[in-house]
């Protein structure tokens, strides 16, 4: 017998074919992490859709989000569900499987093995999403895992990084349906207290002027010696890189380090408003690097944002979505390590 899902959640009627009730409130990051009710009319969205998804796909995404909300999951948790369904079915309720799972069905391509309920359950967007999220909540420490790894622990597919390419579109869809900024979802990825206190924004040191630091006082980055940093920043970057390599199997890609004044002038001429005024760049204090991470929603950024501050490195608020800009997922600064 098909399970019955209540039509009323938190006193709000769910109308899955037209009006989808999602659980988000004001536009603050706290609201994104602690949703409160708000109405989203999917039929009134732009025909262009969101992140390449439209129509029934967004209706299904909204049902996934509603199922996550009913289980108390925040925006990031709901984005993991949307991301997974993107990777499994392109947000469509498929009545077919594939070579690896010919009995797979629905948004999440759930198999007929007793774990995911009846055929009707697997074909129902809300019920199948509820079953996915219930399984996700049984994954130990899922909240702190990179999104694709968390999804993989539930789906157990061949490639644990299969869902990574859908992380950013999923964040955009969740944000678009909820009426929040995609960057606010990222704020939910770091548990309280991860970033240590007592650390300071880069600034003058050693009596030197910005961009006039003698290079013989700086240390090369061992795996990218053409770039140099202040010695303590270089040592902390080595420690961070060791942890990063243990996680991803390769070194951090370093694209820039210390910039002297002349290099800052050239950067300003090349990049205009997207480059700091010469003499004001934190690259000029030898306390910033640019790395090869070009998305705020991928595995590498999520890991860095959660772990780099333990080594004194931060992607500053101005560079993150919602900051004063320019937004730069690749720009990281050494703020020092808390005592």
């Amino acid at each position: 017998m098909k399970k019955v899902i209540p039509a009323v959640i938190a006193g709000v009627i769910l109308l899955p074919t037209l009006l989808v009730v999602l659980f988000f409130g004001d536009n603050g990051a706290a609201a994104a992490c602690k949703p409160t009710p708000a109405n989203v009319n999917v039929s009134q969205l732009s025909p262009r859709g969101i992140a390449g998804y439209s129509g029934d796909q967004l209706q299904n995404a909204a049902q996934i989000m509603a199922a996550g909300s009913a289980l108390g999951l925040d925006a990031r948790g709901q984005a993991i569900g949307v991301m997974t369904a993107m990777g499994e079915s392109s947000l469509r309720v498929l009545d077919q499987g594939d070579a690896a799972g010919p009995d797979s069905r629905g948004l999440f391509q759930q198999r007929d093995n007793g774990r995911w309920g009846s055929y009707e359950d697997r074909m129902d967007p809300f019920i199948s999403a509820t079953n996915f999220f219930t399984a996700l909540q049984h994954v130990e420490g899922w909240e702190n895992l990179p999104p694709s790894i968390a999804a993989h622990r539930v789906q157990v597919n061949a490639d644990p990084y299969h869902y990574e390419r859908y992380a950013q579109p999923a964040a955009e869809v969740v944000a678009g349906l909820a009426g929040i900024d995609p960057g606010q979802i990222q704020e939910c990825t770091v548990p309280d207290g991860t970033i240590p206190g007592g650390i300071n924004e880069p600034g003058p040191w050693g009596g030197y002027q910005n961009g006039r630091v003698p290079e013989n006082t700086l240390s090369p980055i061992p795996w990218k010696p053409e770039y140099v940093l202040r010695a303590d920043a270089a040592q902390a970057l080595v420690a961070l890189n060791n942890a990063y390599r243990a996680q991803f199997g390769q070194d951090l890609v370093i694209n820039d380090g210390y910039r002297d004044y002349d290099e800052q002038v050239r950067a300003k001429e090349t990049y205009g408003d997207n480059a700091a005024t010469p003499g004001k760049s934190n690259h000029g204090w030898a306390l910033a690097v640019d790395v090869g991470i070009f998305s705020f929603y991928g595995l590498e950024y999520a890991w860095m944002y959660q772990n780099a501050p333990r080594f004194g490195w931060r992607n500053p608020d101005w560079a993150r979505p919602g900051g004063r800009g320019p937004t730069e997922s690749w720009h990281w600064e050494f703020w020092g390590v808390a005592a």
Side-chain angles (χ1 to χ4, degrees):
M1 179 179 294
K2 183 176 179 179
K3 294 193 292 290
V4 177
I5 297 297
V8 178
I9 298 175
V12 183
I13 299 176
L14 295 177
L15 302 176
T17 60
L18 176 63
L19 181 63
V20 182
V21 177
L22 304 179
F23 286 61
F24 291 89
D26 61 54
N27 290 332
C33 293
K34 297 180 180 179
T36 55
N39 294 334
V40 175
N41 193 335
V42 176
S43 67
Q44 293 181 354
L45 294 174
S46 167
R48 292 175 297 177
I50 304 171
Y53 298 87
S54 61
D56 289 345
Q57 293 171 302
L58 294 181
Q59 292 278 8
N60 291 329
Q63 286 290 294
I64 294 170
M65 294 169 64
S69 292
L71 293 173
L73 296 182
D74 61 20
R76 179 178 182 259
Q78 294 170 32
I80 290 175
V82 173
M83 172 195 74
T84 304
M86 286 177 173
E88 293 290 350
S89 67
S90 192
L91 289 177
R92 300 186 187 280
V93 182
L94 299 180
D95 195 13
Q96 62 187 43
D98 55 24
D103 57 343
S104 299
R105 294 293 185 273
L107 283 174
F108 294 89
Q109 287 292 277
Q110 293 162 336
R111 302 195 65 176
D112 185 16
N113 55 15
R115 182 185 183 192
W116 305 111
S118 66
Y119 168 83
E120 291 81 6
D121 292 339
R122 292 180 288 142
M123 292 294 289
D124 185 295
F126 188 90
I127 296 176
S128 62
T130 298
N131 290 336
F132 169 82
F133 286 127
T134 299
L136 178 67
Q137 290 178 309
H138 283 90
V139 174
E140 183 177 358
W142 71 268
E143 301 95 330
N144 299 324
L145 293 173
S148 185
I149 300 301
H152 171 71
R153 297 280 173 87
V154 176
Q155 300 295 100
V156 197
N157 57 2
D159 179 9
Y161 298 101
H162 168 69
Y163 306 102
E164 180 179 4
R165 75 195 76 172
Y166 304 103
Q168 182 166 347
E172 293 176 11
V173 166
V174 169
L177 293 178
I180 59 176
D181 187 282
Q184 294 174 353
I185 297 176
Q186 186 68 36
E187 300 294 340
C188 302
T189 65
V190 181
D192 291 342
T194 296
I195 297 179
I199 49 184
N200 301 300
E201 185 174 3
W205 60 274
Y208 305 116
Q209 294 181 337
N210 186 293
R212 311 289 188 186
V213 181
E215 293 215 15
N216 62 7
T217 67
L218 303 176
S219 296
I221 298 171
W223 66 99
K224 199 72 170 176
E226 61 267 38
Y227 299 122
V228 295
L229 295 169
R230 195 172 74 181
D232 57 339
Q235 291 172 0
L237 188 66
V238 168
L240 169 61
N241 185 63
N242 289 339
Y244 182 90
R245 189 171 58 242
Q247 177 73 15
F248 295 105
Q250 62 184 28
D251 291 322
L252 271 168
V253 175
I254 305 297
N255 296 322
D256 204 357
Y258 171 64
R259 290 182 197 160
D260 64 25
Y261 188 86
D262 291 339
E263 289 173 322
Q264 293 180 52
V265 170
R266 288 193 291 272
K268 188 66 174 177
E269 292 173 347
T270 301
Y271 300 109
D273 291 342
N274 288 326
T277 300
K280 296 185 179 296
S281 170
N282 284 333
H283 285 283
W285 299 121
L287 295 174
V289 293
D290 290 345
V291 302
I293 297 177
F294 303 111
S295 169
F296 289 98
Y297 307 105
L299 294 173
E300 291 86 354
Y301 184 88
W303 186 92
M304 284 283 286
Y305 188 70
Q306 182 170 330
N307 290 278
R310 295 191 292 114
F311 302 92
W313 287 91
R314 300 180 61 159
N315 182 219
D317 290 343
W318 63 259
R320 290 174 41 72
R324 59 178 171 81
T327 53
E328 297 182 353
S329 57
W330 56 86
H331 179 86
W332 294 77
E333 298 176 350
F334 184 65
W335 288 48
V337 180

